[in-house]
Amino acid sequence: MAEAFDCAVFDAVDVIVAKRGKQELSAAQIDWVIDAYTRGVVADEQMSSLAMAILLNGMNRREISAWTTAMIASGERMDFSSLSRPTSDKHSTGGVGDKITLPLAPLAAACGVAVPQLSGRGLGHTGGTLDKLESIPGWSPVLSSDQMMHQLEEVGAVICAAGEGLAPADRKLYALRDVTGTVEAIPLIASSIMSKKIAEGTRALVLDVKVGSGAFMKDVDSARELARTMVDLGKDAGVKTVALLTNMQTPLGLTAGNALEVRESVEVLAGGGPPDVVELTLVLAREMLVAAGRGDIDPADALKDGRAMDVWRAMITAQGGDPRAPLPVARETHQILAPGPGVLTQLDALKVGIAAWRLGAGRARKEHKVQAGAGIEMHAKPGAVLRAGDPLMTLHTDTPERFGRAIESLAGSYFIAPEGSRPDLLPLVIERIN
Ligand code: URA
């Protein structure tokens, strides 16, 4: 019965009513409510009411900073200060075909920084980095702190699952927000992401804030506000932080799906790959190096001369994977052809992401399994000139009964305009915020 006798200095209802009345919450109120929620003293229905009040009435910089600090304090903090290399990490707010972590982590490591990337699994239409890497035969996302430290020193890059002890308040709150319509609150997204990244112990952080249909943030203004909030939180915590707003109107690269994206990432590490994936990997690598004080190094050299590929192979091998093993391939495919000639001016990220998810590349519930080979291969991107009957996309799945629903979600996903038309797209990198 311990939880019934919490020596509360506050009452959950008072905190909810204060935020409902647009008042500023004190640091003491925030510390209490996060701690009490993590311990089960504040009930889910009370926290969900507070989250909705925050979504509707917002929080100021001081409140968001206190909220983030309290979530970090709910668990353990990692410390990489004994490593011989400076740490630098990247976080993306998530998008369709966003496989950039896969080539980026080994590339940055090949340039002399340590990349301690704690990642998650996908839920909904955006894929998760761990799901992608798990399509490599033998690869495991589970590492102890000692193994992580050893791999960072020896190889330079780790991509693994965050342990249960890292910001447990966020783990509980994020699951609650997911089912109470409160994910979209900028103060809650910013504090959720930054509590985990600060607890992870990196000294430098580059944020890739996606903008467009396939992203959390559908427009540049809200993406800018999220980026500004996260950069401020990072700086307040002593982490050198910079954010780029990048285009997620259309999928990144030519693949969306786990093994398909690993294959494309390896192509990038081998010196090929789609131009947008190569460009964004290099832009983010440069930012990671500058933030870590290694701005004099050009990551393009390490991509060209194979050093990044060497680190990739070492990173996969260190976690039990076989980097040379064939990747899983889906049992069935279905091609979508261009219905007429012209210029592809639109390929919608959200619709492609939902179709890939319906083919089995993503999960609807945490406990669902993903299909390693499922997803979508795109044969044309906006700007491409097409003839009638040219292949537009190939859908991949092990379960052909999924084709119907995937094809339904692709209705209106692309637009072919008369020859001479130009797509009206945001640039790949829209803005830099520091
Ligand atoms: N990713 C997170 O980790 N938290 C959020 O709130 C949203 C995206």
Side-chain angles (χ1 to χ4, degrees):
M1 290 296 288
E3 59 271 34
F5 289 102
D6 184 50
C7 301
V9 272
F10 297 103
D11 181 82
V13 178
D14 291 343
V15 179
I16 296 164
V17 169
K19 190 39 75 185
R20 192 189 69 192
K22 300 190 168 71
Q23 287 173 33
E24 177 177 341
L25 301 181
S26 70
Q29 278 175 311
I30 290 171
D31 281 350
W32 175 79
V33 83
I34 296 282
D35 178 58
Y37 177 61
T38 311
R39 290 184 293 118
V41 171
V42 165
D44 274 348
E45 59 270 26
Q46 293 176 310
M47 194 48 140
S48 96
S49 181
L50 180 59
M52 185 58 82
I54 291 169
L55 182 135
L56 296 173
N57 294 331
M59 287 202 286
N60 64 25
R61 179 168 173 178
R62 202 200 50 72
E63 289 174 292
I64 301 171
S65 179
W67 190 275
T68 308
T69 306
M71 293 221 290
I72 296 167
S74 72
E76 66 204 28
R77 261 185 106 147
M78 306 196 71
D79 179 7
F80 297 118
S81 54
S82 61
L83 288 176
S84 63
R85 312 160 173 235
T87 47
S88 194
D89 195 9
K90 185 263 328 189
H91 177 83
S92 160
T93 55
V96 177
D98 184 2
K99 70 277 295 168
I100 298 291
T101 293
L102 275 53
L104 178 63
L107 175 59
C111 297
V113 298
V115 186
Q117 168 92 201
L118 300 177
S119 292
R121 290 200 161 71
L123 192 63
H125 74 276
T126 61
T129 299
L130 300 184
D131 293 324
K132 295 173 200 190
L133 286 169
E134 275 179 331
S135 64
I136 301 172
W139 185 87
S140 165
V142 183
L143 288 185
S144 68
S145 300
D146 284 350
Q147 285 170 321
M148 197 174 168
M149 212 54 180
H150 183 256
Q151 189 172 326
L152 279 172
E153 190 60 55
E154 296 302 315
V155 179
V158 166
I159 303 174
C160 67
E164 297 278 320
L166 203 87
D170 176 65
R171 193 175 290 267
K172 199 171 169 194
L173 180 56
Y174 191 51
L176 184 74
R177 287 165 55 214
D178 204 28
V179 294
T180 56
T182 51
V183 167
E184 285 82 0
I186 285 180
L188 297 179
I189 298 175
S191 54
S192 165
I193 292 172
M194 292 306 289
S195 61
K196 287 173 286 200
K197 285 289 153 184
I198 295 165
E200 173 195 276
T202 186
R203 302 310 303 155
L205 178 64
V206 180
L207 297 162
D208 181 3
V209 180
K210 301 280 182 208
V211 188
S213 71
F216 263 126
M217 298 292 132
K218 308 292 181 203
D219 61 84
V220 174
D221 286 345
S222 46
R224 188 182 291 123
E225 187 185 336
L226 176 62
R228 179 80 269 151
T229 308
M230 291 197 289
V231 168
D232 288 345
L233 285 173
K235 285 184 179 167
D236 289 350
V239 179
K240 185 115 177 45
T241 311
V242 61
L244 299 182
L245 308 191
T246 70
N247 185 344
M248 190 34 69
Q249 293 171 310
T250 201
L252 201 49
L254 293 168
T255 55
N258 302 305
L260 291 169
E261 293 191 47
V262 172
R263 192 191 72 196
E264 190 170 277
S265 303
V266 173
E267 283 166 15
V268 171
L269 288 162
D276 57 345
V277 179
V278 176
E279 182 185 340
L280 193 53
T281 303
L282 286 172
V283 167
L284 291 166
R286 285 195 187 98
E287 292 287 358
M288 285 173 73
L289 294 174
V290 169
R294 297 278 165 95
D296 52 318
I297 298 170
D298 183 359
D301 294 338
L303 203 52
K304 223 180 292 160
D305 64 19
R307 276 178 292 146
M309 178 69 102
D310 291 343
V311 177
W312 160 263
R313 291 192 179 126
M315 178 181 91
I316 297 301
T317 306
Q319 291 176 236
D322 178 355
R324 294 180 195 272
L327 290 164
V329 175
R331 281 196 284 274
E332 308 279 342
T333 59
H334 173 92
Q335 241 183 15
I336 299 200
L337 307 177
V343 178
L344 183 69
T345 52
Q346 198 185 309
L347 182 61
D348 183 74
L350 179 60
K351 290 190 160 92
V352 171
I354 292 174
W357 174 52
R358 287 183 173 175
L359 289 166
R363 54 171 72 72
R365 297 180 63 92
K366 264 199 270 203
E367 58 279 14
H368 289 173
K369 274 197 159 44
V370 297
Q371 291 182 19
I376 298 190
E377 214 177 334
M378 289 152 266
H379 304 291
K381 291 290 290 282
V385 178
L386 298 165
R387 290 165 309 178
D390 277 352
L392 266 184
M393 294 177 233
T394 303
L395 317 190
H396 297 245
T397 186
D398 291 334
T399 36
E401 59 274 20
R402 291 173 179 261
F403 282 134
R405 295 258 294 143
I407 291 165
E408 256 172 47
S409 60
L410 288 170
S413 65
Y414 59 89
F415 188 75
I416 300 175
E419 243 172 81
S421 306
R422 287 161 71 96
D424 179 21
L425 284 181
L426 289 166
L428 182 60
V429 178
I430 301 158
E431 202 169 303
R432 181 177 191 274
I433 290 172
N434 66 357

